Amino acid sequence: MLGAIEAGGTKFVCAVGDELGGIGERIQIPTTIPEETIPRVIAFFSKHGVEAIGIGSFGPIDVNLDSETYGSITSTPKPGWRGYPFVQEIRKALGVPVGFNTDVNAAALGEATFGAAKGLDSCLYITVGTGIGAGAVVQGKLLQGLSHPEMGHILVRRHPEDHYKGKCPYHSDCLEGLAAGPAIEERWGAKGIELVSREEVWDLEGYYIAQALMQYILILSPKKIILGGGVMNQKQVFSYFQKYLQELLNDYVALPRLSDYIVSPGLGDDAGIIGSLLLARNAIQE
Ligand code: ADP
Ligand code: ZN
């Protein structure tokens, strides 16, 4: 039995399961401060006796095995979590191998193994929710360099009529600052779910997402792109970004039909937690 933690900014999902992606019991724990959240996580897994734990975490995180602070959360504004030695604490409490990566890398691994990119050695998983992030599988492995990629914070060309200042605390009008859920809410004065019938909202969203997709395609050339996260429940965004992406790429690169190439998660909302089970499996092998 393996354990999986999908550590998000608002909630932690903990589950037990197997290496085939089968999920048994799962619970949700609100993300408050580590001193409250983590003991509940540990209590859940202590009860089940797991062989390894995989963590797909909100970031940025330290994933560099040679670093002294490997396994910790780095520069989050979330109170109490900055510098928190996540892997160390879980390993100390449960005494099992711990795999650690970003939430989006876990989801990319889940989708590449059992989901929309099953059987492919390359894919990109993007989430557009409270933030924007992406994880990539390249030549069968999660893409990592100095650290993990931070693809949500790329710069995009502004729409000439968009005068919204942007919401990223670090860069104001990076992609996340212009196109994540909180930016939509602040720009238009209502939550995404309340803006369903406002075509201009989703047109503009498609305008920014298309630019990001163009850059990811040009740099990584993924074999499949998976777009998840709360905002992508607005399926009308798909037709807008397809239109803008077609214009931007201008037939320069040969791609499959966009509706086959850029798709919703095959594992639905479970991509992250199933990917985290795979991180646990990998931790045993390593
Ligand atoms: P998180 O990023 O915290 O894991 P989500 O992926 O659900 O969670 O993202 C939350 C953001 O997505 C919020 O800003 C919310 O307003 C927006 N959102 C969630 N569901 C929808 C929806 N059906 N339509 C539009 N926006 C949504
Ligand atoms: Zn940013």
Side-chain angles (χ1 to χ4, degrees):
M1 181 127 71
L2 301 170
I5 304 172
E6 191 183 12
T10 46
K11 63 173 193 293
F12 273 46
V13 179
C14 300
V16 291
D18 59 42
E19 61 184 37
L20 299 175
I23 293 185
E25 195 183 332
R26 80 166 90 188
I27 56 162
Q28 281 193 22
I29 299 166
T31 311
T32 56
I33 52 170
E35 293 72 22
E36 280 175 8
T37 304
I38 297 299
R40 296 182 61 187
V41 170
I42 289 165
F44 174 76
F45 290 113
S46 301
K47 190 178 76 178
H48 285 284
V50 291
E51 280 169 73
I53 299 270
I55 304 173
S57 177
F58 70 92
I61 58 177
D62 188 342
V63 289
N64 175 4
L65 285 165
D66 299 327
S67 159
E68 273 182 21
T69 52
Y70 167 78
S72 62
I73 295 184
T74 60
S75 47
T76 177
K78 279 198 81 58
W81 293 94
R82 194 190 177 101
Y84 181 71
F86 202 163
V87 169
Q88 228 182 322
E89 292 294 327
I90 297 292
R91 203 189 274 142
K92 195 170 70 188
L94 297 169
V96 294
V98 178
F100 188 57
N101 221 309
T102 60
D103 44 6
V104 280
N105 266 338
L109 187 59
E111 286 291 324
T113 312
F114 301 118
K118 185 175 170 179
L120 301 178
D121 63 357
S122 139
C123 77
L124 181 70
Y125 177 93
I126 308 165
T127 181
V128 185
T130 306
I132 299 183
V137 172
V138 176
Q139 295 180 332
K141 292 179 72 176
L142 289 171
L143 180 61
Q144 183 173 325
L146 203 52
S147 183
H148 56 82
E150 278 288 351
M151 297 187 231
H153 294 268
I154 59 169
L155 300 179
V156 288
R157 211 185 263 167
R158 246 175 200 285
H159 191 284
E161 281 156 35
D162 183 18
H163 302 298
Y164 172 60
K165 64 184 188 307
K167 204 165 173 62
C168 175
Y170 292 89
H171 322 107
S172 295
D173 62 356
C174 65
L175 176 69
E176 176 174 302
L178 291 173
I184 295 174
E185 185 174 345
E186 191 170 72
R187 180 193 288 108
W188 302 99
K191 284 192 180 302
I193 194 78
E194 295 152 8
L195 297 164
V196 177
S197 59
R198 299 271 300 275
E199 286 304 315
E200 67 275 29
V201 172
W202 310 112
D203 187 328
L204 185 66
E205 185 69 9
Y207 179 86
Y208 290 125
I209 298 297
Q211 294 184 54
L213 290 168
M214 160 123 168
Q215 296 175 51
Y216 303 149
I217 290 166
L218 294 176
I219 293 170
L220 293 169
S221 193
K223 290 182 180 168
K224 196 80 147 187
I225 298 179
I226 297 135
L227 258 176
V231 174
M232 287 301 128
N233 287 317
Q234 295 303 322
K235 296 296 173 213
Q236 64 267 46
V237 178
F238 280 70
S239 44
Y240 286 114
F241 75 62
Q242 284 167 7
K243 180 189 75 168
Y244 288 118
L245 182 57
Q246 207 70 266
E247 287 171 19
L248 287 168
L249 286 169
N250 199 20
D251 290 329
Y252 182 64
V253 282
L255 294 176
R257 219 162 51 144
L258 290 185
S259 56
D260 297 328
Y261 181 50
I262 308 171
V263 299
S264 294
L267 301 176
D269 294 335
D270 286 343
I273 198 77
I274 290 175
S276 299
L277 282 174
L278 296 171
L279 292 176
R281 178 201 65 187
N282 293 352
I284 295 177
Q285 290 168 356
E286 280 155 17

